[in-house]
């Protein structure tokens, strides 16, 4: 083999290696591009999911707040109703005390009438 043949082989080998290196660099660049695109797509999907979850949480918190306000309003109405019932009961108790006083007066009068009737019956002549 001549020196010229060796040089040709070396040149062809260098060219082949250089070509292969360019092919591999191009593949590496395409792979990097694909990885970046997938990372970007994944990041976007994650951000969209997090955003959707945030909106859902906001919606649920808003619903909970609305229910809390409605519950507070209902409790206020129940408290008002209980206050009204308490006032009515106090009124009924007051009237019952007035009725008890009258009953005592009526009982006293009935006792007096009973005593008077018995006195009248004693004064009547015995029946023959």
């Amino acid at each position: 083999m001549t020196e010229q043949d060796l040089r040709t082989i070396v040149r062809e080998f260098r060219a082949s290696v250089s070509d292969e290196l360019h092919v591999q660099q191009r593949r590496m660049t395409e792979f990097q591009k694909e990885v970046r695109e997938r990372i970007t797509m994944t990041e976007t999907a994650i951000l969209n999911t997090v955003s959707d979850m945030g909106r859902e949480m906001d919606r649920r918190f808003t619903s909970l707040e609305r229910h809390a306000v409605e519950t507070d309003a209902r409790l206020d109405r129940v408290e008002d109703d209980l206050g009204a019932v308490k006032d009515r009961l106090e009124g009924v108790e007051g009237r019952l005390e007035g009725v008890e006083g009258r009953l005592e007066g009526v009982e006293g009068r009935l006792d007096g009438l009973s005593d008077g009737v018995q006195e009248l019956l004693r004064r009547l002549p015995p029946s023959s």
Side-chain angles (χ1 to χ4, degrees), residues 73-109:
R74 287 179 187 160
L75 287 174
D76 288 344
R77 287 192 300 272
V78 167
E79 286 177 351
D80 291 345
D81 291 346
L82 286 175
V85 168
K86 181 181 174 188
D87 291 343
R88 285 187 207 154
L89 284 175
E90 288 173 354
V92 168
E93 286 175 350
R95 283 182 277 177
L96 282 176
E97 290 173 3
V99 168
E100 286 174 351
R102 287 189 211 156
L103 280 176
E104 288 175 4
V106 168
E107 285 175 348
R109 283 190 239 141

Side-chain angles (χ1 to χ4, degrees), residues 58-70:
D58 286 344
R59 186 189 67 75
R60 288 182 180 188
F61 282 135
T62 299
S63 177
L64 285 172
E65 287 173 342
R66 187 179 68 248
H67 287 300
V69 168
E70 290 172 0

Side-chain angles (χ1 to χ4, degrees), residues 4-119:
Q4 188 60 30
D5 289 341
L6 284 175
R7 286 183 185 195
T8 303
I9 290 173
V10 168
R11 212 176 310 122
E12 287 175 358
F13 179 73
R14 282 184 180 167
S16 172
V17 168
S18 179
D19 288 345
E20 184 62 28
L21 183 61
H22 287 300
V23 168
Q24 293 303 324
Q25 284 177 339
R26 192 169 6 117
R27 284 182 180 168
M28 183 66 111
T29 301
E30 289 173 3
F31 180 71
Q32 287 174 339
K33 181 181 175 185
E34 183 179 339
V35 167
R36 281 189 198 112
E37 287 174 356
R38 286 184 181 191
I39 288 172
T40 301
M41 286 180 1
T42 302
E43 286 175 341
T44 301
I46 289 170
L47 290 173
N48 287 340
T49 299
V50 168
S51 178
D52 291 345
M53 290 171 69
R55 281 192 295 275
E56 178 63 16
M57 287 176 62
D58 286 344
R59 186 189 67 75
R60 288 182 180 188
F61 282 135
T62 299
S63 177
L64 285 172
E65 287 173 342
R66 187 179 68 248
H67 287 300
V69 168
E70 290 172 0
T71 300
D72 283 346
R74 287 179 187 160
L75 287 174
D76 288 344
R77 287 192 300 272
V78 167
E79 286 177 351
D80 291 345
D81 291 346
L82 286 175
V85 168
K86 181 181 174 188
D87 291 343
R88 285 187 207 154
L89 284 175
E90 288 173 354
V92 168
E93 286 175 350
R95 283 182 277 177
L96 282 176
E97 290 173 3
V99 168
E100 286 174 351
R102 287 189 211 156
L103 280 176
E104 288 175 4
V106 168
E107 285 175 348
R109 283 190 239 141
L110 282 175
D111 286 344
L113 282 175
S114 176
D115 291 344
V117 167
Q118 286 188 7
E119 181 62 31

